């Protein structure tokens, strides 16, 4: 068991550290290109760069969902499982449809769902795979969503500007992977309040994405 | 033209993987028809990607990358092939799934898989409504296909819990509106309605209920005991 780590997304508490963090200053295309190299030629150097950037973020993502139930080793295993998917699926990554970070986020989400489904005896009664329901970001639809560095910056800035109460709910929904009712229960709020905070925040954030 | 969509809250929960399996299947089935919601899901995932990069990085074990490469090398040699080829070929579909798609056009993958999963019988609820349970690998919701004959009228009913319906083919209407192919309809307890199918074509729907529907009026007194039996 590991102690609950206080996870501080930079946009909530620590603007300065974000500004000094060089990894977030890399243009969006930087990670896309590494991913493409892994897909085309199993480039290990690119894969290592991706691992060093995304691995610790993925661990943070899994830890915020499971702060106390599982060991740190288990968290590392979930990171490994996600990165194995990155390696195996990089060939189908299409940067015209999603930024590397978006794509990795969907793989991490599916790894977490896979883990929960493995523990659910009913899930084994079907041939439905997680990806049949939650598709990897770039397999879905014909859209070209060129995600510029500018756009990612805008979303980040907008996250920082959200009123604290909306930012908190949004973080729990996205990064702690909690359902609206779980958030309502945890924060002791009516479900309707959680829903409207999510909607308000969502409107602001989505309006930035064409 | 799709008029009825899942709301933003539902899409946010879907895209973050916090919706339970059966309801997620209903949303996925709607996405099969709806490019607008597909785009919204992509936007939510994009926000998720940006937020991921704002988390406080947590150190990994020092030798973890080498271990990862070792386990990748230990994987069967299919890795490279898998990476370069698109999705693996789908397994053969059951006779029932083939027949349904012949009759109603291609069905979403997840619906086809549920039909393949186990052959279960269609049951008549009344002369115009037939229903067939689907196994979705969960226990919280009742998932089923519902078929309303062309021009058929479903007995007026209330809902004991949330019911999500996605129209796969045809259309039906009730006092609240007309629902067509791809539409996502949510009914809550207290939403009493009497769906009527379009007169020229059978209406096929995917239905996800958190509790069985409750028939009201004359038919209810006659049919409720059967529905209860069917739900068990």
């Amino acid at each position: 068991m590991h102690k609950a780590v206080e996870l501080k997304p930079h946009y909530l508490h620590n603007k300065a550290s974000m500004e000094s963090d060089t990894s977030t200053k890399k243009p969006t295309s930087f990670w896309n290109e590494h991913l493409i190299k892994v897909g085309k030629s199993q480039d290990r150097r690119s894969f290592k760069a991706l691992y060093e950037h995304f691995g610790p973020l993925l661990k943070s993502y899994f830890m915020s969902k499971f702060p106390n139930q599982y060991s740190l080793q288990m968290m590392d295993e979930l990171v490994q499982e996600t990165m194995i998917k990155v390696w195996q699926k990089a060939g189908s990554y299409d940067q015209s449809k999603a930024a590397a970070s978006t794509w990795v986020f969907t793989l991490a989400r599916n790894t977490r769902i896979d883990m929960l489904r493995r523990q659910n005896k009913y899930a084994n009664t079907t041939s439905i795979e997680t990806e049949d329901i939650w598709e990897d970001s770039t397999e879905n639809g014909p859209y070209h969503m060129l995600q510029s560095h500018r756009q990612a910056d805008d979303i980040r800035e907008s996250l920082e500007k959200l009123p604290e109460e909306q930012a908190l709910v949004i973080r729990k929904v996205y990064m702690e992977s909690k359902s609206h009712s779980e958030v309502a229960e945890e924060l002791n709020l009516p479900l309707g309040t959680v829903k409207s905070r999510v909607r308000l925040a969502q409107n602001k954030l989505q309006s930035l994405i064409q | 033209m799709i008029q009825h969509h899942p709301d933003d809250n539902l899409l946010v929960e879907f895209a973050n993987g916090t919706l339970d399996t059966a309801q997620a299947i209903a949303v996925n089935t709607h996405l099969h028809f709806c490019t607008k919601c597909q785009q919204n899901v992509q936007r939510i995932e994009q926000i998720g990607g940006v937020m991921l990069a704002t988390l406080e990085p947590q150190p990994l074990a020092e030798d973890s990358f080498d271990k990862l490469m070792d386990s990748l090398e230990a994987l069967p040699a299919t890795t490279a092939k898998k990476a370069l080829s698109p999705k693996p070929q789908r397994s053969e579909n059951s006779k029932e799934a083939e027949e349904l798609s012949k009759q109603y056009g291609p069905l979403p993958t997840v619906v086809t898989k549920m039909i393949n999963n186990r052959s279960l019988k269609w049951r008549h609820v009344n002369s115009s409504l037939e229903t067939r349970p689907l196994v979705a690998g969960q226990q919280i919701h009742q998932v089923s296909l519902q078929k309303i004959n062309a021009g058929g009228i479903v007995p007026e009913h209330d809902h004991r819990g949330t019911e999500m319906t996605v129209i796969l083919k045809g259309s039906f209407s009730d006092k609240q509106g007309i629902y067509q192919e791809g539409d996502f309809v949510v009914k809550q307890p207290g939403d009493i309605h009497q769906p009527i199918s379009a007169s020229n074509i059978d209406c096929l729907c995917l239905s996800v209920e958190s509790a069985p529907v409750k028939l009201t009026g004359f038919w209810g007194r006659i049919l409720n005991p059967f529905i209860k039996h069917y739900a068990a």
Side-chain angles (χ1 to χ4, degrees), chain A residues 16-47:
Chain A
S17 84
M18 191 182 89
E19 274 153 19
S20 64
D21 183 348
T22 50
S23 65
T24 59
K25 286 287 164 196
K26 296 251 175 23
T28 312
S29 59
F30 180 84
W31 303 114
N32 301 0
E33 279 153 22
H34 275 309
L35 201 45
I36 290 162
K37 277 189 193 161
V38 174
K40 278 204 176 134
S41 55
Q42 282 86 54
D43 186 305
R44 289 184 178 224
R45 219 178 286 170
S46 285
F47 187 57

PDB file of all heavy atoms in Angstrom, chain A residues 16-47:
ATOM      1  N   ALA A  16       3.960  28.448 -11.334  1.00  0.00           N
ATOM      2  CA  ALA A  16       5.381  28.670 -11.563  1.00  0.00           C
ATOM      3  C   ALA A  16       6.066  27.392 -12.031  1.00  0.00           C
ATOM      4  O   ALA A  16       6.853  27.406 -12.975  1.00  0.00           O
ATOM      5  CB  ALA A  16       6.042  29.164 -10.284  1.00  0.00           C
ATOM      6  N   SER A  17       5.694  26.263 -11.394  1.00  0.00           N
ATOM      7  CA  SER A  17       6.393  25.049 -11.759  1.00  0.00           C
ATOM      8  C   SER A  17       6.042  24.629 -13.179  1.00  0.00           C
ATOM      9  O   SER A  17       6.836  24.016 -13.863  1.00  0.00           O
ATOM     10  CB  SER A  17       6.085  23.930 -10.775  1.00  0.00           C
ATOM     11  OG  SER A  17       4.890  23.293 -11.130  1.00  0.00           O
ATOM     12  N   MET A  18       4.842  24.990 -13.611  1.00  0.00           N
ATOM     13  CA  MET A  18       4.489  24.644 -14.974  1.00  0.00           C
ATOM     14  C   MET A  18       5.330  25.435 -15.959  1.00  0.00           C
ATOM     15  O   MET A  18       5.810  24.919 -16.957  1.00  0.00           O
ATOM     16  CB  MET A  18       3.019  24.927 -15.225  1.00  0.00           C
ATOM     17  CG  MET A  18       2.555  24.343 -16.536  1.00  0.00           C
ATOM     18  SD  MET A  18       0.857  24.726 -16.873  1.00  0.00           S
ATOM     19  CE  MET A  18       1.054  26.250 -17.732  1.00  0.00           C
ATOM     20  N   GLU A  19       5.547  26.676 -15.620  1.00  0.00           N
ATOM     21  CA  GLU A  19       6.315  27.508 -16.535  1.00  0.00           C
ATOM     22  C   GLU A  19       7.764  27.046 -16.644  1.00  0.00           C
ATOM     23  O   GLU A  19       8.384  27.156 -17.686  1.00  0.00           O
ATOM     24  CB  GLU A  19       6.249  28.968 -16.084  1.00  0.00           C
ATOM     25  CG  GLU A  19       4.992  29.636 -16.646  1.00  0.00           C
ATOM     26  CD  GLU A  19       4.504  30.778 -15.796  1.00  0.00           C
ATOM     27  OE1 GLU A  19       5.300  31.286 -14.990  1.00  0.00           O
ATOM     28  OE2 GLU A  19       3.319  31.140 -15.929  1.00  0.00           O
ATOM     29  N   SER A  20       8.263  26.463 -15.541  1.00  0.00           N
ATOM     30  CA  SER A  20       9.657  26.043 -15.599  1.00  0.00           C
ATOM     31  C   SER A  20       9.777  24.604 -16.106  1.00  0.00           C
ATOM     32  O   SER A  20      10.856  24.112 -16.364  1.00  0.00           O
ATOM     33  CB  SER A  20      10.291  26.138 -14.213  1.00  0.00           C
ATOM     34  OG  SER A  20       9.625  25.221 -13.365  1.00  0.00           O
ATOM     35  N   ASP A  21       8.651  23.955 -16.241  1.00  0.00           N
ATOM     36  CA  ASP A  21       8.679  22.567 -16.681  1.00  0.00           C
ATOM     37  C   ASP A  21       8.863  22.531 -18.195  1.00  0.00           C
ATOM     38  O   ASP A  21       7.972  22.859 -18.948  1.00  0.00           O
ATOM     39  CB  ASP A  21       7.353  21.893 -16.286  1.00  0.00           C
ATOM     40  CG  ASP A  21       7.348  20.422 -16.661  1.00  0.00           C
ATOM     41  OD1 ASP A  21       8.249  20.010 -17.408  1.00  0.00           O
ATOM     42  OD2 ASP A  21       6.443  19.719 -16.213  1.00  0.00           O
ATOM     43  N   THR A  22      10.024  22.097 -18.615  1.00  0.00           N
ATOM     44  CA  THR A  22      10.323  22.150 -20.043  1.00  0.00           C
ATOM     45  C   THR A  22       9.468  21.164 -20.836  1.00  0.00           C
ATOM     46  O   THR A  22       9.169  21.394 -21.993  1.00  0.00           O
ATOM     47  CB  THR A  22      11.797  21.826 -20.311  1.00  0.00           C
ATOM     48  OG1 THR A  22      12.107  20.632 -19.618  1.00  0.00           O
ATOM     49  CG2 THR A  22      12.695  22.950 -19.844  1.00  0.00           C
ATOM     50  N   SER A  23       9.062  20.058 -20.179  1.00  0.00           N
ATOM     51  CA  SER A  23       8.343  19.043 -20.957  1.00  0.00           C
ATOM     52  C   SER A  23       7.016  19.576 -21.494  1.00  0.00           C
ATOM     53  O   SER A  23       6.591  19.197 -22.576  1.00  0.00           O
ATOM     54  CB  SER A  23       8.091  17.797 -20.114  1.00  0.00           C
ATOM     55  OG  SER A  23       7.238  18.104 -19.047  1.00  0.00           O
ATOM     56  N   THR A  24       6.387  20.462 -20.745  1.00  0.00           N
ATOM     57  CA  THR A  24       5.118  20.976 -21.244  1.00  0.00           C
ATOM     58  C   THR A  24       5.343  22.058 -22.298  1.00  0.00           C
ATOM     59  O   THR A  24       4.414  22.489 -22.938  1.00  0.00           O
ATOM     60  CB  THR A  24       4.261  21.567 -20.103  1.00  0.00           C
ATOM     61  OG1 THR A  24       5.006  22.614 -19.495  1.00  0.00           O
ATOM     62  CG2 THR A  24       3.893  20.524 -19.087  1.00  0.00           C
ATOM     63  N   LYS A  25       6.561  22.473 -22.431  1.00  0.00           N
ATOM     64  CA  LYS A  25       6.851  23.507 -23.425  1.00  0.00           C
ATOM     65  C   LYS A  25       7.164  22.921 -24.795  1.00  0.00           C
ATOM     66  O   LYS A  25       7.308  23.623 -25.773  1.00  0.00           O
ATOM     67  CB  LYS A  25       8.035  24.372 -22.949  1.00  0.00           C
ATOM     68  CG  LYS A  25       7.649  25.320 -21.830  1.00  0.00           C
ATOM     69  CD  LYS A  25       6.798  26.450 -22.399  1.00  0.00           C
ATOM     70  CE  LYS A  25       6.091  27.171 -21.267  1.00  0.00           C
ATOM     71  NZ  LYS A  25       4.978  27.999 -21.754  1.00  0.00           N
ATOM     72  N   LYS A  26       7.306  21.623 -24.846  1.00  0.00           N
ATOM     73  CA  LYS A  26       7.554  20.995 -26.143  1.00  0.00           C
ATOM     74  C   LYS A  26       6.317  21.160 -27.015  1.00  0.00           C
ATOM     75  O   LYS A  26       5.198  20.973 -26.550  1.00  0.00           O
ATOM     76  CB  LYS A  26       7.848  19.510 -25.950  1.00  0.00           C
ATOM     77  CG  LYS A  26       9.111  19.220 -25.154  1.00  0.00           C
ATOM     78  CD  LYS A  26      10.171  18.662 -26.047  1.00  0.00           C
ATOM     79  CE  LYS A  26      11.525  18.424 -25.435  1.00  0.00           C
ATOM     80  NZ  LYS A  26      11.652  18.250 -24.027  1.00  0.00           N
ATOM     81  N   PRO A  27       6.516  21.506 -28.295  1.00  0.00           N
ATOM     82  CA  PRO A  27       5.323  21.629 -29.134  1.00  0.00           C
ATOM     83  C   PRO A  27       4.590  20.296 -29.233  1.00  0.00           C
ATOM     84  O   PRO A  27       5.209  19.237 -29.127  1.00  0.00           O
ATOM     85  CB  PRO A  27       5.882  22.044 -30.498  1.00  0.00           C
ATOM     86  CG  PRO A  27       7.333  21.756 -30.454  1.00  0.00           C
ATOM     87  CD  PRO A  27       7.755  21.743 -29.019  1.00  0.00           C
ATOM     88  N   THR A  28       3.277  20.389 -29.414  1.00  0.00           N
ATOM     89  CA  THR A  28       2.456  19.175 -29.500  1.00  0.00           C
ATOM     90  C   THR A  28       3.030  18.194 -30.517  1.00  0.00           C
ATOM     91  O   THR A  28       3.061  16.995 -30.289  1.00  0.00           O
ATOM     92  CB  THR A  28       1.025  19.568 -29.933  1.00  0.00           C
ATOM     93  OG1 THR A  28       0.620  20.647 -29.114  1.00  0.00           O
ATOM     94  CG2 THR A  28       0.063  18.432 -29.780  1.00  0.00           C
ATOM     95  N   SER A  29       3.506  18.737 -31.633  1.00  0.00           N
ATOM     96  CA  SER A  29       3.981  17.871 -32.718  1.00  0.00           C
ATOM     97  C   SER A  29       5.214  17.055 -32.315  1.00  0.00           C
ATOM     98  O   SER A  29       5.479  16.006 -32.889  1.00  0.00           O
ATOM     99  CB  SER A  29       4.293  18.712 -33.947  1.00  0.00           C
ATOM    100  OG  SER A  29       5.275  19.669 -33.614  1.00  0.00           O
ATOM    101  N   PHE A  30       5.957  17.537 -31.304  1.00  0.00           N
ATOM    102  CA  PHE A  30       7.166  16.835 -30.863  1.00  0.00           C
ATOM    103  C   PHE A  30       6.848  15.386 -30.486  1.00  0.00           C
ATOM    104  O   PHE A  30       7.510  14.453 -30.924  1.00  0.00           O
ATOM    105  CB  PHE A  30       7.762  17.601 -29.668  1.00  0.00           C
ATOM    106  CG  PHE A  30       9.017  17.001 -29.108  1.00  0.00           C
ATOM    107  CD1 PHE A  30      10.252  17.278 -29.667  1.00  0.00           C
ATOM    108  CD2 PHE A  30       8.952  16.162 -27.994  1.00  0.00           C
ATOM    109  CE1 PHE A  30      11.411  16.731 -29.136  1.00  0.00           C
ATOM    110  CE2 PHE A  30      10.114  15.610 -27.458  1.00  0.00           C
ATOM    111  CZ  PHE A  30      11.343  15.892 -28.032  1.00  0.00           C
ATOM    112  N   TRP A  31       5.805  15.213 -29.668  1.00  0.00           N
ATOM    113  CA  TRP A  31       5.437  13.860 -29.217  1.00  0.00           C
ATOM    114  C   TRP A  31       4.759  13.080 -30.336  1.00  0.00           C
ATOM    115  O   TRP A  31       4.931  11.870 -30.449  1.00  0.00           O
ATOM    116  CB  TRP A  31       4.545  13.934 -27.968  1.00  0.00           C
ATOM    117  CG  TRP A  31       5.220  14.680 -26.854  1.00  0.00           C
ATOM    118  CD1 TRP A  31       4.850  15.877 -26.307  1.00  0.00           C
ATOM    119  CD2 TRP A  31       6.424  14.302 -26.174  1.00  0.00           C
ATOM    120  NE1 TRP A  31       5.743  16.261 -25.343  1.00  0.00           N
ATOM    121  CE2 TRP A  31       6.711  15.320 -25.229  1.00  0.00           C
ATOM    122  CE3 TRP A  31       7.281  13.205 -26.268  1.00  0.00           C
ATOM    123  CZ2 TRP A  31       7.828  15.270 -24.396  1.00  0.00           C
ATOM    124  CZ3 TRP A  31       8.384  13.154 -25.428  1.00  0.00           C
ATOM    125  CH2 TRP A  31       8.652  14.170 -24.515  1.00  0.00           C
ATOM    126  N   ASN A  32       3.996  13.790 -31.164  1.00  0.00           N
ATOM    127  CA  ASN A  32       3.363  13.115 -32.308  1.00  0.00           C
ATOM    128  C   ASN A  32       4.432  12.448 -33.181  1.00  0.00           C
ATOM    129  O   ASN A  32       4.293  11.312 -33.609  1.00  0.00           O
ATOM    130  CB  ASN A  32       2.595  14.103 -33.192  1.00  0.00           C
ATOM    131  CG  ASN A  32       1.490  14.843 -32.446  1.00  0.00           C
ATOM    132  OD1 ASN A  32       1.295  14.623 -31.257  1.00  0.00           O
ATOM    133  ND2 ASN A  32       0.782  15.716 -33.139  1.00  0.00           N
ATOM    134  N   GLU A  33       5.515  13.209 -33.423  1.00  0.00           N
ATOM    135  CA  GLU A  33       6.549  12.685 -34.320  1.00  0.00           C
ATOM    136  C   GLU A  33       7.243  11.456 -33.730  1.00  0.00           C
ATOM    137  O   GLU A  33       7.530  10.497 -34.446  1.00  0.00           O
ATOM    138  CB  GLU A  33       7.564  13.784 -34.654  1.00  0.00           C
ATOM    139  CG  GLU A  33       7.034  14.691 -35.758  1.00  0.00           C
ATOM    140  CD  GLU A  33       7.602  16.109 -35.702  1.00  0.00           C
ATOM    141  OE1 GLU A  33       8.691  16.275 -35.101  1.00  0.00           O
ATOM    142  OE2 GLU A  33       6.953  17.026 -36.240  1.00  0.00           O
ATOM    143  N   HIS A  34       7.494  11.512 -32.429  1.00  0.00           N
ATOM    144  CA  HIS A  34       8.085  10.328 -31.786  1.00  0.00           C
ATOM    145  C   HIS A  34       7.171   9.115 -31.933  1.00  0.00           C
ATOM    146  O   HIS A  34       7.616   8.009 -32.216  1.00  0.00           O
ATOM    147  CB  HIS A  34       8.316  10.594 -30.296  1.00  0.00           C
ATOM    148  CG  HIS A  34       9.618  11.286 -30.020  1.00  0.00           C
ATOM    149  ND1 HIS A  34      10.818  10.829 -30.521  1.00  0.00           N
ATOM    150  CD2 HIS A  34       9.925  12.399 -29.301  1.00  0.00           C
ATOM    151  CE1 HIS A  34      11.809  11.612 -30.127  1.00  0.00           C
ATOM    152  NE2 HIS A  34      11.288  12.597 -29.388  1.00  0.00           N
ATOM    153  N   LEU A  35       5.894   9.362 -31.758  1.00  0.00           N
ATOM    154  CA  LEU A  35       4.919   8.274 -31.840  1.00  0.00           C
ATOM    155  C   LEU A  35       4.895   7.686 -33.257  1.00  0.00           C
ATOM    156  O   LEU A  35       4.826   6.464 -33.443  1.00  0.00           O
ATOM    157  CB  LEU A  35       3.543   8.832 -31.445  1.00  0.00           C
ATOM    158  CG  LEU A  35       2.462   7.882 -30.971  1.00  0.00           C
ATOM    159  CD1 LEU A  35       2.994   6.868 -29.973  1.00  0.00           C
ATOM    160  CD2 LEU A  35       1.339   8.691 -30.315  1.00  0.00           C
ATOM    161  N   ILE A  36       4.974   8.565 -34.229  1.00  0.00           N
ATOM    162  CA  ILE A  36       4.971   8.103 -35.625  1.00  0.00           C
ATOM    163  C   ILE A  36       6.205   7.253 -35.906  1.00  0.00           C
ATOM    164  O   ILE A  36       6.123   6.207 -36.555  1.00  0.00           O
ATOM    165  CB  ILE A  36       4.888   9.316 -36.588  1.00  0.00           C
ATOM    166  CG1 ILE A  36       3.489   9.945 -36.470  1.00  0.00           C
ATOM    167  CG2 ILE A  36       5.168   8.907 -38.025  1.00  0.00           C
ATOM    168  CD1 ILE A  36       3.396  11.352 -37.001  1.00  0.00           C
ATOM    169  N   LYS A  37       7.352   7.672 -35.345  1.00  0.00           N
ATOM    170  CA  LYS A  37       8.584   6.890 -35.552  1.00  0.00           C
ATOM    171  C   LYS A  37       8.460   5.501 -34.937  1.00  0.00           C
ATOM    172  O   LYS A  37       8.929   4.523 -35.499  1.00  0.00           O
ATOM    173  CB  LYS A  37       9.783   7.616 -34.919  1.00  0.00           C
ATOM    174  CG  LYS A  37      10.365   8.674 -35.822  1.00  0.00           C
ATOM    175  CD  LYS A  37      11.665   9.177 -35.219  1.00  0.00           C
ATOM    176  CE  LYS A  37      12.110  10.454 -35.927  1.00  0.00           C
ATOM    177  NZ  LYS A  37      13.078  11.198 -35.102  1.00  0.00           N
ATOM    178  N   VAL A  38       7.838   5.421 -33.770  1.00  0.00           N
ATOM    179  CA  VAL A  38       7.640   4.117 -33.135  1.00  0.00           C
ATOM    180  C   VAL A  38       6.739   3.254 -34.016  1.00  0.00           C
ATOM    181  O   VAL A  38       7.001   2.075 -34.249  1.00  0.00           O
ATOM    182  CB  VAL A  38       7.019   4.266 -31.718  1.00  0.00           C
ATOM    183  CG1 VAL A  38       6.682   2.911 -31.123  1.00  0.00           C
ATOM    184  CG2 VAL A  38       7.966   5.023 -30.801  1.00  0.00           C
ATOM    185  N   GLY A  39       5.702   3.867 -34.567  1.00  0.00           N
ATOM    186  CA  GLY A  39       4.766   3.128 -35.407  1.00  0.00           C
ATOM    187  C   GLY A  39       5.409   2.655 -36.697  1.00  0.00           C
ATOM    188  O   GLY A  39       5.191   1.527 -37.133  1.00  0.00           O
ATOM    189  N   LYS A  40       6.228   3.522 -37.305  1.00  0.00           N
ATOM    190  CA  LYS A  40       6.806   3.175 -38.613  1.00  0.00           C
ATOM    191  C   LYS A  40       7.968   2.209 -38.496  1.00  0.00           C
ATOM    192  O   LYS A  40       8.096   1.290 -39.283  1.00  0.00           O
ATOM    193  CB  LYS A  40       7.293   4.455 -39.306  1.00  0.00           C
ATOM    194  CG  LYS A  40       6.145   5.190 -40.000  1.00  0.00           C
ATOM    195  CD  LYS A  40       6.655   6.072 -41.113  1.00  0.00           C
ATOM    196  CE  LYS A  40       5.484   6.700 -41.848  1.00  0.00           C
ATOM    197  NZ  LYS A  40       5.668   8.114 -42.085  1.00  0.00           N
ATOM    198  N   SER A  41       8.855   2.432 -37.514  1.00  0.00           N
ATOM    199  CA  SER A  41      10.093   1.646 -37.516  1.00  0.00           C
ATOM    200  C   SER A  41      10.476   1.129 -36.134  1.00  0.00           C
ATOM    201  O   SER A  41      11.632   0.825 -35.897  1.00  0.00           O
ATOM    202  CB  SER A  41      11.220   2.496 -38.095  1.00  0.00           C
ATOM    203  OG  SER A  41      11.315   3.712 -37.353  1.00  0.00           O
ATOM    204  N   GLN A  42       9.506   1.043 -35.235  1.00  0.00           N
ATOM    205  CA  GLN A  42       9.798   0.582 -33.866  1.00  0.00           C
ATOM    206  C   GLN A  42      11.042   1.276 -33.297  1.00  0.00           C
ATOM    207  O   GLN A  42      11.921   0.636 -32.733  1.00  0.00           O
ATOM    208  CB  GLN A  42       9.973  -0.941 -33.835  1.00  0.00           C
ATOM    209  CG  GLN A  42       8.674  -1.719 -33.866  1.00  0.00           C
ATOM    210  CD  GLN A  42       8.194  -1.951 -35.282  1.00  0.00           C
ATOM    211  OE1 GLN A  42       8.931  -2.473 -36.100  1.00  0.00           O
ATOM    212  NE2 GLN A  42       6.978  -1.561 -35.573  1.00  0.00           N
ATOM    213  N   ASP A  43      11.110   2.548 -33.493  1.00  0.00           N
ATOM    214  CA  ASP A  43      12.267   3.331 -33.050  1.00  0.00           C
ATOM    215  C   ASP A  43      12.335   3.370 -31.520  1.00  0.00           C
ATOM    216  O   ASP A  43      11.464   3.933 -30.860  1.00  0.00           O
ATOM    217  CB  ASP A  43      12.146   4.750 -33.619  1.00  0.00           C
ATOM    218  CG  ASP A  43      13.379   5.593 -33.338  1.00  0.00           C
ATOM    219  OD1 ASP A  43      13.777   5.728 -32.163  1.00  0.00           O
ATOM    220  OD2 ASP A  43      13.945   6.119 -34.317  1.00  0.00           O
ATOM    221  N   ARG A  44      13.394   2.758 -30.991  1.00  0.00           N
ATOM    222  CA  ARG A  44      13.480   2.629 -29.528  1.00  0.00           C
ATOM    223  C   ARG A  44      13.805   3.937 -28.842  1.00  0.00           C
ATOM    224  O   ARG A  44      13.372   4.183 -27.723  1.00  0.00           O
ATOM    225  CB  ARG A  44      14.537   1.597 -29.148  1.00  0.00           C
ATOM    226  CG  ARG A  44      14.051   0.219 -29.494  1.00  0.00           C
ATOM    227  CD  ARG A  44      15.015  -0.842 -29.041  1.00  0.00           C
ATOM    228  NE  ARG A  44      14.408  -2.112 -29.395  1.00  0.00           N
ATOM    229  CZ  ARG A  44      14.366  -3.175 -28.606  1.00  0.00           C
ATOM    230  NH1 ARG A  44      14.928  -3.126 -27.426  1.00  0.00           N
ATOM    231  NH2 ARG A  44      13.786  -4.278 -29.000  1.00  0.00           N
ATOM    232  N   ARG A  45      14.565   4.779 -29.525  1.00  0.00           N
ATOM    233  CA  ARG A  45      14.924   6.044 -28.888  1.00  0.00           C
ATOM    234  C   ARG A  45      13.674   6.920 -28.718  1.00  0.00           C
ATOM    235  O   ARG A  45      13.468   7.546 -27.690  1.00  0.00           O
ATOM    236  CB  ARG A  45      15.978   6.763 -29.724  1.00  0.00           C
ATOM    237  CG  ARG A  45      17.015   7.441 -28.843  1.00  0.00           C
ATOM    238  CD  ARG A  45      18.083   8.118 -29.661  1.00  0.00           C
ATOM    239  NE  ARG A  45      19.006   7.164 -30.262  1.00  0.00           N
ATOM    240  CZ  ARG A  45      19.921   7.496 -31.176  1.00  0.00           C
ATOM    241  NH1 ARG A  45      20.003   8.732 -31.623  1.00  0.00           N
ATOM    242  NH2 ARG A  45      20.747   6.591 -31.657  1.00  0.00           N
ATOM    243  N   SER A  46      12.847   6.909 -29.734  1.00  0.00           N
ATOM    244  CA  SER A  46      11.595   7.664 -29.647  1.00  0.00           C
ATOM    245  C   SER A  46      10.687   7.081 -28.571  1.00  0.00           C
ATOM    246  O   SER A  46      10.037   7.804 -27.819  1.00  0.00           O
ATOM    247  CB  SER A  46      10.847   7.631 -30.989  1.00  0.00           C
ATOM    248  OG  SER A  46      11.478   8.481 -31.903  1.00  0.00           O
ATOM    249  N   PHE A  47      10.674   5.747 -28.518  1.00  0.00           N
ATOM    250  CA  PHE A  47       9.821   5.092 -27.526  1.00  0.00           C
ATOM    251  C   PHE A  47      10.288   5.448 -26.117  1.00  0.00           C
ATOM    252  O   PHE A  47       9.479   5.706 -25.225  1.00  0.00           O
ATOM    253  CB  PHE A  47       9.837   3.574 -27.737  1.00  0.00           C
ATOM    254  CG  PHE A  47       8.853   2.836 -26.867  1.00  0.00           C
ATOM    255  CD1 PHE A  47       7.494   3.145 -26.912  1.00  0.00           C
ATOM    256  CD2 PHE A  47       9.270   1.834 -26.002  1.00  0.00           C
ATOM    257  CE1 PHE A  47       6.569   2.470 -26.105  1.00  0.00           C
ATOM    258  CE2 PHE A  47       8.355   1.153 -25.198  1.00  0.00           C
ATOM    259  CZ  PHE A  47       7.010   1.475 -25.252  1.00  0.00           C
TER     260      PHE A  47
END
